[in-house]
Amino acid sequence: MSGSSVPAAPEQGNTVRGRGGGGSWWALLRSWVTGLAVLAGVIVPLAAATPATAQTRTLAYITNNAADTVSVIDTATNTVTATINVGSDPEGVAVTPDGTRAYVTNSGGSTVSVIDTATSTVTTINVGQGPQGVAVTPDGTRAYVTNSGGSTVSVIDTSTNTVTATVDVGEDPRGVAVGSSVYVANPGSDTVSVIDIAANTVTATIDVGTFPQGVAVNPDSAYVTNMNDATVSVIDTAGNTVDATIDVGDSPLGVAAALVGGANVYVTNATSPGTVSVIDSATNTVTATIPVGSLPQGVAVTPDTTRVYVTNVGSDTVSVIDTATNAVTATIDVGESPVGVAIGTVPELEQPQTPTTLTLKAEKKEGKGKDRPGVLGVGDFTLKARLTAGGEPVEGKRIEFTTDSTSLCTDTTDSRGHAICKVPRRHDSEACYTATFAGDDTHGPSTVTACAKNQYGKPHHDGDQPDHSSMHGLTQAPTASTAHPTIRHNH
């Protein structure tokens, strides 16, 4: 999960092998005519169907401060796919590691909106006054919310969505990030508070630059934007000391660190006029400055680190930066005054597969020439399967025909749902045949199996006459739903 959310500065608001039966070839054929005649289908119960493969999407969640909404951007298409109503003056946003929820701080009140990412439904949690930043622990069990009005941090248990602790920090806390500890930027006191996650107590207070706003962490460092100094303080997280100060553009606000596939840190400079500084974290030097929209503020990196999304408060847009070229490749219109941004890999709402029904029947020709009438001749036997869903034919699906686990042939269903298999070999009187549809993302699997016997459960012998009254004498597996197809005689 990648993403970073940054609150606004005060000035801006913010998915066939026959079983050898013995006897002569003719005896087997005659037995077949008497006993087979027809195959009836056995349908696999719906409970045996396998679910559709879960799908995911990478989405960016944008808080529109002046519209009280969140815009959802599909990063595959860079289009807004949803707009979700939240609380008053939304600021920060963070997505849980499993992508199931997004937490949004509503600075105009004392609440956090929790978005179910599958359904876009919202629930509300009461926190402290003027909530600004929000960050979720790597294990997804807790969310930390900075309350600027009370100089506190609310700790939310994400399993219950209740506040379980309140931690006193520095003045006017805003940005927050979670690594091995929780780091909180306090612009009112020019400090960063370090919170021990296990104990939820402040273990260190670090002096940084003037009016710190955003904070981001990578495995070794915490990067803090100092708005009034046009700098970034780099904190060594092992010793909780500032070991570097980097000059960036004017009024740096947001900051995001690429944690995989690269080592860059991205900083939004609100009044430079509107740029993003790219910092090489190995050398702590600025390697590029990228023009974006007006008053850039929030910034987040995609999980694969190929793109960076920047909210532009002054132009109501989001700029998309290609990290390979450090160039803006797309500009997306969102809601009014976009402030925060967080990106997550989100599971799609799983769509249940449509149940299918597969039926099977045999068609044969009457014997000709030297063949006796009514005797099924070699090569004259055809299996016909039909696949339906809700009574309607399903076209374009692959059906496999087998016997005793030996593949006979495959065919694709036509517009009537039919798939055909012409059986080229002779078979005994007790052969079993199966037609199978494996299922796909939208249609459930279905299997039909039937075995042929004569009326008395044994092969007929030469001299026996076909007993057509036993055309339906058939052995089949138990099933909740059985089809009763008929044999066709083609003259």
Side-chain angles (χ1 to χ4, degrees), residues 208-233:
V208 290
T210 306
F211 217 74
Q213 286 287 309
V215 57
V217 295
N218 65 16
D220 302 315
S221 305
Y223 291 80
V224 181
T225 57
N226 303 307
M227 179 180 172
N228 290 357
D229 292 348
T231 62
V232 170
S233 296

Side-chain angles (χ1 to χ4, degrees), residues 186 189-194 204-210 212 224 226 233-235 240-245:
N186 307 305
S189 53
D190 298 337
T191 62
V192 168
S193 298
V194 183
T205 301
I206 307 166
D207 292 326
V208 290
T210 306
V224 181
N226 303 307
S233 296
V234 185
I235 298 173
N240 284 330
T241 58
V242 175
D243 60 1
T245 301

Side-chain angles (χ1 to χ4, degrees), residues 318-336:
V318 170
S319 297
V320 183
I321 298 171
D322 183 325
T323 59
T325 62
N326 284 330
V328 173
T329 57
T331 301
I332 308 165
D333 292 325
V334 289
E336 190 177 353

Side-chain angles (χ1 to χ4, degrees), residues 14 63 65 68 70 85-93 102-115 122-134 143-149 154 156 161 163:
N14 325 22
T63 57
N65 183 261
D68 298 341
V70 169
N85 293 319
V86 288
S88 175
D89 303 329
E91 291 273 355
V93 56
Y103 287 78
V104 177
T105 59
N106 303 307
S107 65
S110 302
T111 63
V112 168
S113 295
V114 185
I115 300 172
V122 177
T123 57
T124 303
I125 306 171
N126 292 318
V127 290
Q129 184 180 352
Q132 298 281 330
V134 57
Y144 288 80
V145 176
T146 59
N147 304 306
S148 63
S154 296
I156 297 172
N161 280 334
V163 174

Side-chain angles (χ1 to χ4, degrees), residues 113-194:
S113 295
V114 185
I115 300 172
D116 182 317
T117 60
T119 63
S120 293
T121 55
V122 177
T123 57
T124 303
I125 306 171
N126 292 318
V127 290
Q129 184 180 352
Q132 298 281 330
V134 57
V136 179
T137 54
D139 63 4
T141 61
R142 278 177 277 184
Y144 288 80
V145 176
T146 59
N147 304 306
S148 63
S151 297
T152 61
V153 170
S154 296
V155 184
I156 297 172
D157 181 334
T158 59
S159 65
T160 61
N161 280 334
T162 58
V163 174
T164 57
T166 301
V167 185
D168 292 326
V169 290
E171 294 181 27
D172 194 23
R174 294 191 173 256
V176 57
V178 182
S180 57
S181 298
V182 180
Y183 292 83
V184 178
N186 307 305
S189 53
D190 298 337
T191 62
V192 168
S193 298
V194 183

Side-chain angles (χ1 to χ4, degrees), residues 196-357:
D196 179 275
I197 295 175
N200 282 327
T201 58
V202 173
T203 58
T205 301
I206 307 166
D207 292 326
V208 290
T210 306
F211 217 74
Q213 286 287 309
V215 57
V217 295
N218 65 16
D220 302 315
S221 305
Y223 291 80
V224 181
T225 57
N226 303 307
M227 179 180 172
N228 290 357
D229 292 348
T231 62
V232 170
S233 296
V234 185
I235 298 173
D236 178 354
T237 57
N240 284 330
T241 58
V242 175
D243 60 1
T245 301
I246 308 167
D247 292 326
V248 290
D250 293 336
S251 305
L253 295 176
V255 58
L259 301 181
V260 294
N264 288 333
V265 175
Y266 299 86
V267 175
T268 56
N269 307 303
T271 59
S272 289
T275 62
V276 170
S277 295
V278 184
I279 298 173
D280 182 338
S281 65
T283 61
N284 282 330
T285 57
V286 174
T287 58
T289 301
I290 308 165
V292 288
S294 173
L295 295 176
Q297 184 161 323
V299 58
V301 186
T302 56
D304 61 5
T305 72
T306 61
R307 284 168 291 171
V308 174
Y309 285 71
V310 177
T311 60
N312 303 304
V313 179
S315 52
D316 299 339
T317 60
V318 170
S319 297
V320 183
I321 298 171
D322 183 325
T323 59
T325 62
N326 284 330
V328 173
T329 57
T331 301
I332 308 165
D333 292 325
V334 289
E336 190 177 353
S337 301
V339 175
V341 52
I343 300 175
T345 301
V346 174
E348 291 191 86
L349 182 62
E350 188 171 289
Q351 299 297 322
Q353 293 172 305
T354 302
T356 59
T357 299

